[in-house]
Amino acid sequence: MNDLIKKLAKGKPVSDRDIADELFEICDKEHASCNSQCPVYELNGGKAVNGHKPFEQNRGCDCFKNGMAMLDFIRSH
């Protein structure tokens, strides 16, 4: 069980860092295929953020393995 779920289940406060860490974990797990399991990919219409970049450059996504960037993107959409 991840720390975010434990905190939520116990009614403890969840920080932006907690959320960003979980978002990083999602990206780390899903980035090879960039799919709708990533909330950023899903919110961005099924594509990487600024997906016009070469895949070799941050896997083509401005949020690649950056939990805080992912959190900022989600909050802005």
Side-chain angles (χ1 to χ4, degrees):
M1 186 183 312
N2 66 39
D3 290 337
L4 181 64
I5 296 298
K6 286 186 232 175
K7 283 185 173 185
L8 289 169
K10 292 180 179 185
K12 293 184 177 181
V14 175
S15 69
D16 282 358
R17 175 53 38 205
D18 294 325
I19 298 168
D21 288 348
E22 182 61 22
L23 289 167
F24 168 86
E25 292 298 327
I26 292 169
C27 183
D28 191 44
K29 179 180 175 192
E30 301 298 333
H31 81 272
S33 60
C34 281
N35 59 55
S36 61
Q37 295 301 309
C38 171
V40 169
Y41 183 89
E42 183 179 17
L43 282 171
N44 201 39
K47 56 188 175 204
V49 176
N50 288 325
H52 63 278
K53 293 181 177 180
F55 183 75
E56 296 77 28
Q57 185 179 353
N58 289 335
R59 299 292 194 253
C61 183
D62 284 351
C63 294
F64 177 66
K65 291 192 179 183
N66 183 333
M68 291 306 287
M70 294 173 77
L71 181 57
D72 290 343
F73 180 86
I74 292 167
R75 286 184 171 155
S76 71
H77 287 81

